[in-house]
Amino acid sequence: MFQSKSPLYYQLAEIIINDIKEKNLQENDRILTEREYCEKYNLSRSTVRQAIAYLEKKGYIYKVQGCGTFVSSRVMKQKLLKFYSFTEEAKKQGKTPSSKILSFKEKKADEKICKELNINRDDKVYELQRLRLADDEVVMYEKTYLLEKKMQGLSKNILLENPLYDILQNRYNISFTKATERFSVLLADEKIAEILTIPQGSPIIRLQRWTYAGMEIIEYTVSLVRGDRFEFEVELEEK
């Protein structure tokens, strides 16, 4: 133990991560105190504090003043090799997914949305704003634009019944052929911080998604994702 060339705080952080996994600690379970780690591994308080700060920054743990340090909510992982649904992926990871519709309306597309969906200025779209939750915790804010002519009669009540992609496929017989996604990293402003229930200035992921049916774009979505609760993963293979 503590024989590699990595900094001591990093080695301790790896030990704590392994403890969380091997002991199958659950969200909100308490871990050892700084003093207990010092005594157990014969480390200085500054080294232990550095390891705890590193793990807190990475989202593995969180501290409650006067109460201790606890295991954080598990970060949701999303592979990007094929079409995916937030609802189905959350279920695979043992979480209970839900959505809260903030607004749903039909409107004429403005210049930006016309460009993103490659439609005419007079075309109508549905604008859907919603929160995506995992185990009742907000992880994502989405604003989605859909072609009205491809899904006439879509309503808030219909959206409350089933996941959006299930509705498009089963109710409107829309077959997805591909999707393009673009990622960027931002800092949450006051409005978004309040929506996502995170401190202002926290890192968030801005995800844009264009979904195609044939050559036609039928969905454009902008998602703002909590950086401490979600990570995306790409697997690269040598050909």
Side-chain angles (χ1 to χ4, degrees):
M1 193 178 299
F2 302 115
Q3 294 179 349
S4 76
K5 295 181 180 180
S6 300
L8 285 177
Y9 84 87
Y10 182 81
Q11 294 183 59
L12 176 59
E14 290 292 307
I15 289 172
I16 295 173
I17 292 172
N18 287 333
D19 282 347
I20 291 173
K21 294 178 179 178
E22 292 175 4
K23 296 177 182 178
N24 197 27
L25 296 181
Q26 302 300 308
E27 298 171 18
N28 305 316
D29 281 352
R30 188 198 302 266
I31 65 172
L32 298 180
T33 65
E34 291 181 2
R35 176 178 293 180
E36 287 171 328
Y37 281 122
C38 289
E39 294 174 352
K40 183 174 182 178
Y41 297 109
N42 193 27
L43 294 171
S44 69
R45 179 63 69 90
S46 62
T47 297
V48 173
R49 284 179 176 170
Q50 198 172 1
I52 295 298
Y54 171 81
L55 292 173
E56 189 173 16
K57 184 178 180 181
K58 289 293 185 179
Y60 286 100
I61 59 177
Y62 66 94
K63 298 174 72 174
V64 178
Q65 189 67 31
C67 296
T69 306
F70 304 86
V71 179
S72 295
S73 174
R74 288 172 294 169
V75 174
M76 289 189 62
K77 290 186 178 182
Q78 176 57 62
K79 292 184 180 291
L80 299 177
L81 294 179
K82 59 182 180 179
F83 275 101
Y84 61 87
S85 158
F86 173 85
T87 299
E88 293 305 315
E89 293 303 319
K91 288 179 179 178
K92 288 179 184 177
Q93 296 178 42
K95 291 183 175 289
T96 301
S98 60
S99 297
K100 180 180 180 181
I101 296 177
L102 301 178
S103 70
F104 176 77
K105 58 186 176 182
E106 180 184 310
K107 58 184 287 187
K108 284 188 177 181
D110 59 23
E111 185 175 349
K112 173 176 172 52
I113 299 307
C114 288
K115 180 181 178 181
E116 301 297 353
L117 288 173
N118 193 27
I119 57 177
N120 298 319
R121 188 62 185 267
D122 292 333
D123 287 341
K124 293 182 179 180
V125 295
Y126 293 118
E127 180 190 85
L128 169 64
Q129 295 186 56
R130 56 184 175 167
L131 297 178
R132 312 306 297 271
L133 299 89
D135 291 343
D136 294 323
E137 181 181 42
V138 176
V139 296
M140 188 184 305
Y141 164 72
E142 287 186 341
K143 184 179 283 189
T144 296
Y145 296 92
L146 303 159
L147 281 178
E148 185 271 343
K149 65 182 180 181
K150 287 292 185 180
M151 49 206 78
Q152 294 182 357
L154 185 63
S155 67
K156 182 176 179 179
N157 287 336
I158 294 173
L159 289 166
L160 289 171
E161 294 174 356
N162 291 291
L164 175 61
Y165 282 5
D166 287 355
I167 294 170
L168 299 186
Q169 291 176 311
N170 300 327
R171 187 182 183 93
Y172 295 101
N173 297 315
I174 294 174
S175 297
F176 309 131
T177 53
K178 71 172 184 176
T180 300
E181 293 188 334
R182 184 180 300 158
F183 299 83
S184 57
V185 178
L186 307 173
L187 298 179
D189 60 22
E190 184 178 358
K191 179 181 178 181
I192 295 303
E194 183 177 356
I195 290 174
L196 294 176
T197 64
I198 56 177
Q200 186 175 345
S202 297
I204 58 174
I205 302 167
R206 182 174 186 259
L207 165 62
Q208 297 180 83
R209 181 183 179 95
W210 295 263
T211 304
Y212 291 76
M215 299 297 292
E216 195 168 30
I217 303 173
I218 53 92
E219 175 212 12
Y220 170 63
T221 292
V222 179
S223 302
L224 299 177
V225 188
R226 285 183 57 169
D228 63 338
R229 290 293 180 267
F230 215 102
E231 66 181 38
F232 297 89
E233 182 178 299
V234 178
E235 199 170 290
L236 304 177
E237 295 182 358
E238 185 178 1
K239 292 185 177 181

